[in-house]
Amino acid sequence: MAPSIRSLHHVTATVAEPSPDVRFYTGVLGLRLVKRTVNFDNPGVYHLYYGDERGNPSTLMTTFPYAGKGVRVGTIGAGQITVTSFSVPVGSLEFWRDRLGAQDQAFTTGTERFGERSLMLEDPSGLNIELLEGTGDSRAPWISPGVEPEAAVRGVHGVTLVVRRASDSIRFATEVLGLEVAGRTGRRTRLAAANGGPGSYLEVLESEHAPDAVNGLGTVHHVAMAVKGDEEQLAFQERLRSGGYQVTDVRDRQYFRSIYFREPGGILYEIATEGPGFTLDEDLSELGTVLKLPPWEEENRDSIEAALPPIQDENE
Ligand code: ZN
């Protein structure tokens, strides 16, 4: 049987300071901090994961706070994910207007598309964040103080990719990854993974005027899509290789396993396994409360902790 992409898995961004990042994603958006660990490729930097109670695939936003580590501010543009959209219930935008206003968080009203309305805002590092009404979203939300269950974020809705030539990116997504075209409006094409619905969308937006993207602080680094397990991941790796695409070996990310490759528009994609998940090394009730390190970094814990800035989290 052909392997399939079941949904998005996570979105990962390069951000500035960790404390404002935690305050925004937990204190403003109301997500749960489900893991505080380090960038496995650069353990001098945190890797923070936000999501639902369990950090289920498709609910996850993850950040690398690189402020003070010699990384410049990036440019949001073509060849990059330009907007990360979170799914909120239909009819909840009034709640979010009030909540954002009360927190002095600036926002604008987005353009309705595919019958879904939105609010646009920026996170503390300058990432474009959208709260988008997710039609037919049955995911159970994490409930944090001050957020009504009827309004809480359900998870990631999708991402917007800006590319110069949409046709190449769409062909790759449909023919190699098996995604389906779920809708078109103007120069925007909504692609969906097998499960469909919010949490499974990639929206390809063609633009010849957007600046060239530059990775750096305040930009999305990659989007990951979820497969059931190792067998499906290896099948995709083989399919990519036989199609002549460069793809990495399988990397052990503790909470899932990953392969990485670039789509034709230059955007970094990842295919990640759904398991083993974030309860691998912490109880469900304790997720995100202490710094977790992969086993191969435990011997360096003292020096790693000494080099990381403390996280001041006013929500705790
Ligand atoms: Zn990733």
Side-chain angles (χ1 to χ4, degrees):
M1 204 179 99
S4 72
I5 302 291
R6 289 154 65 92
S7 65
L8 298 186
H9 191 288
H10 62 267
V11 179
T12 294
T14 307
V15 300
E17 302 283 349
S19 293
D21 193 71
V22 172
R23 277 198 294 275
F24 178 81
Y25 288 100
T26 65
V28 178
L29 296 191
L31 304 180
R32 184 181 194 192
L33 177 60
V34 291
K35 193 65 66 181
R36 51 181 95 194
T37 181
V38 292
N39 181 344
F40 288 6
D41 299 325
N42 183 354
V45 172
Y46 282 114
H47 194 180
L48 304 174
Y49 290 79
Y50 308 96
D52 68 358
E53 180 183 25
R54 215 166 251 288
N56 282 307
S58 87
T59 72
L60 291 163
M61 176 76 182
T62 97
T63 61
F64 296 128
Y66 261 97
K69 305 284 183 184
V71 173
R72 64 184 163 173
V73 173
T75 302
I76 296 173
Q80 203 180 49
I81 289 157
T82 57
V83 180
T84 303
S85 305
F86 290 90
S87 175
V88 296
V90 175
S92 69
L93 293 188
E94 206 50 47
F95 168 87
W96 285 103
R97 281 193 183 89
D98 290 347
R99 178 173 172 83
L100 298 174
Q103 300 203 17
D104 292 325
Q105 169 70 51
F107 63 92
T108 59
T109 301
T111 307
E112 183 175 322
R113 64 179 187 275
F114 306 115
E116 297 176 332
R117 294 172 302 168
S118 75
L119 301 179
M120 302 292 307
L121 52 156
E122 286 186 7
D123 88 345
S125 303
L127 291 175
N128 294 319
I129 300 294
E130 181 177 45
L131 296 177
L132 183 58
E133 290 184 335
T135 311
D137 195 339
S138 58
R139 293 173 292 179
W142 171 250
I143 304 301
S144 70
V147 180
E148 297 170 0
E150 300 75 30
V153 169
R154 264 50 185 171
V156 173
H157 182 290
V159 290
T160 296
L161 294 62
V162 170
V163 296
R164 300 290 184 216
R165 275 161 53 99
S167 57
D168 294 348
S169 294
I170 293 165
R171 190 176 309 117
F172 178 81
T174 54
E175 293 180 4
V176 180
L177 302 182
L179 304 185
E180 291 185 358
V181 175
R184 290 184 201 273
T185 179
R187 305 182 78 184
R188 180 184 290 266
T189 301
R190 178 179 278 188
L191 300 161
N195 291 350
S200 77
Y201 294 133
L202 296 170
E203 296 188 10
V204 178
L205 181 60
E206 184 170 85
S207 169
E208 62 266 28
H209 302 300
D212 288 332
V214 179
N215 273 332
L217 305 185
T219 62
V220 174
H221 190 261
H222 64 267
V223 62
M225 290 161 258
V227 288
K228 191 166 178 29
D230 298 326
E231 202 179 316
E232 291 79 7
Q233 182 175 61
L234 293 171
F236 270 115
Q237 187 187 45
E238 175 54 34
R239 186 188 289 182
L240 286 157
R241 283 193 174 138
S242 64
Y245 297 97
Q246 298 262 352
V247 55
T248 66
D249 291 331
V250 175
R251 309 260 168 91
D252 180 7
R253 301 313 193 191
Q254 277 284 88
Y255 313 108
F256 46 88
R257 283 171 289 283
S258 302
I259 57 171
Y260 302 85
F261 50 97
R262 283 192 194 275
E263 60 88 56
I267 292 155
L268 186 61
Y269 279 175
E270 172 182 349
I271 289 178
T273 56
E274 290 189 340
F278 294 97
T279 52
L280 179 75
D281 58 0
E282 278 177 304
D283 287 342
L284 184 60
S285 62
E286 302 291 317
L287 289 182
T289 53
V290 297
L291 181 72
K292 303 303 291 187
L293 296 175
W296 59 89
E297 294 289 2
E298 274 300 342
E299 60 180 337
N300 304 316
R301 179 175 278 275
D302 288 351
S303 60
I304 287 173
E305 286 187 344
L308 289 169
I311 293 178
Q312 264 102 39
D313 181 1
E314 289 169 4
N315 309 303
E316 287 184 346

mmCIF file of all heavy atoms in Angstrom, residues 10 12 47 62 222 224 256 258 260 270, ligand 1:
data_model
loop_
_atom_site.group_PDB
_atom_site.id
_atom_site.type_symbol
_atom_site.label_atom_id
_atom_site.label_comp_id
_atom_site.label_asym_id
_atom_site.label_seq_id
_atom_site.Cartn_x
_atom_site.Cartn_y
_atom_site.Cartn_z
ATOM 1 N N HIS A 10 4.289 19.379 12.546
ATOM 2 C CA HIS A 10 4.631 20.597 13.283
ATOM 3 C C HIS A 10 5.162 21.665 12.337
ATOM 4 O O HIS A 10 5.506 21.376 11.196
ATOM 5 C CB HIS A 10 5.661 20.310 14.380
ATOM 6 C CG HIS A 10 6.987 19.791 13.882
ATOM 7 N ND1 HIS A 10 7.264 18.447 13.771
ATOM 8 C CD2 HIS A 10 8.100 20.419 13.455
ATOM 9 C CE1 HIS A 10 8.497 18.280 13.308
ATOM 10 N NE2 HIS A 10 9.033 19.470 13.097
ATOM 11 N N THR A 12 8.151 24.711 12.485
ATOM 12 C CA THR A 12 9.295 25.125 13.292
ATOM 13 C C THR A 12 9.841 26.461 12.801
ATOM 14 O O THR A 12 10.067 26.639 11.602
ATOM 15 C CB THR A 12 10.414 24.056 13.255
ATOM 16 O OG1 THR A 12 9.937 22.880 13.904
ATOM 17 C CG2 THR A 12 11.677 24.541 13.955
ATOM 18 N N HIS A 47 14.985 24.213 22.209
ATOM 19 C CA HIS A 47 13.928 23.845 21.265
ATOM 20 C C HIS A 47 12.655 23.733 22.093
ATOM 21 O O HIS A 47 12.543 22.859 22.962
ATOM 22 C CB HIS A 47 14.246 22.527 20.545
ATOM 23 C CG HIS A 47 13.376 22.284 19.354
ATOM 24 N ND1 HIS A 47 13.493 21.170 18.559
ATOM 25 C CD2 HIS A 47 12.377 23.026 18.800
ATOM 26 C CE1 HIS A 47 12.598 21.239 17.569
ATOM 27 N NE2 HIS A 47 11.904 22.347 17.705
ATOM 28 N N THR A 62 6.847 24.781 17.017
ATOM 29 C CA THR A 62 8.096 24.641 17.756
ATOM 30 C C THR A 62 9.028 25.791 17.389
ATOM 31 O O THR A 62 8.986 26.296 16.273
ATOM 32 C CB THR A 62 8.793 23.274 17.502
ATOM 33 O OG1 THR A 62 9.797 23.405 16.496
ATOM 34 C CG2 THR A 62 7.804 22.196 17.102
ATOM 35 N N HIS A 222 10.862 25.404 8.747
ATOM 36 C CA HIS A 222 10.324 24.291 7.954
ATOM 37 C C HIS A 222 8.950 23.889 8.452
ATOM 38 O O HIS A 222 8.526 24.297 9.533
ATOM 39 C CB HIS A 222 11.270 23.079 7.998
ATOM 40 C CG HIS A 222 11.448 22.476 9.350
ATOM 41 N ND1 HIS A 222 12.466 22.836 10.209
ATOM 42 C CD2 HIS A 222 10.733 21.546 10.024
ATOM 43 C CE1 HIS A 222 12.368 22.140 11.329
ATOM 44 N NE2 HIS A 222 11.321 21.354 11.252
ATOM 45 N N ALA A 224 6.684 20.274 8.971
ATOM 46 C CA ALA A 224 6.766 18.816 8.991
ATOM 47 C C ALA A 224 5.381 18.225 8.789
ATOM 48 O O ALA A 224 4.391 18.744 9.305
ATOM 49 C CB ALA A 224 7.345 18.336 10.321
ATOM 50 N N PHE A 256 9.985 11.764 17.875
ATOM 51 C CA PHE A 256 9.595 11.301 16.538
ATOM 52 C C PHE A 256 10.884 11.126 15.747
ATOM 53 O O PHE A 256 11.963 11.480 16.229
ATOM 54 C CB PHE A 256 8.653 12.314 15.843
ATOM 55 C CG PHE A 256 9.098 13.748 15.935
ATOM 56 C CD1 PHE A 256 9.955 14.286 14.981
ATOM 57 C CD2 PHE A 256 8.690 14.560 16.991
ATOM 58 C CE1 PHE A 256 10.383 15.603 15.066
ATOM 59 C CE2 PHE A 256 9.113 15.883 17.090
ATOM 60 C CZ PHE A 256 9.961 16.403 16.120
ATOM 61 N N SER A 258 12.699 11.726 11.783
ATOM 62 C CA SER A 258 12.503 12.720 10.729
ATOM 63 C C SER A 258 13.395 12.488 9.525
ATOM 64 O O SER A 258 14.531 12.021 9.666
ATOM 65 C CB SER A 258 12.823 14.123 11.275
ATOM 66 O OG SER A 258 12.011 14.411 12.380
ATOM 67 N N TYR A 260 14.330 15.009 5.932
ATOM 68 C CA TYR A 260 14.198 16.387 5.435
ATOM 69 C C TYR A 260 14.537 16.446 3.952
ATOM 70 O O TYR A 260 15.433 15.729 3.483
ATOM 71 C CB TYR A 260 15.149 17.326 6.181
ATOM 72 C CG TYR A 260 14.951 17.343 7.674
ATOM 73 C CD1 TYR A 260 15.566 16.383 8.482
ATOM 74 C CD2 TYR A 260 14.150 18.304 8.286
ATOM 75 C CE1 TYR A 260 15.384 16.385 9.855
ATOM 76 C CE2 TYR A 260 13.962 18.309 9.665
ATOM 77 C CZ TYR A 260 14.584 17.348 10.443
ATOM 78 O OH TYR A 260 14.400 17.350 11.800
ATOM 79 N N GLU A 270 9.750 18.390 6.045
ATOM 80 C CA GLU A 270 10.159 17.276 6.885
ATOM 81 C C GLU A 270 9.008 16.270 6.886
ATOM 82 O O GLU A 270 7.845 16.675 6.840
ATOM 83 C CB GLU A 270 10.414 17.792 8.312
ATOM 84 C CG GLU A 270 10.661 16.733 9.364
ATOM 85 C CD GLU A 270 10.852 17.352 10.763
ATOM 86 O OE1 GLU A 270 11.001 18.595 10.866
ATOM 87 O OE2 GLU A 270 10.818 16.590 11.735
HETATM 88 ZN ZN ZN B 1 10.941 19.721 12.430
#
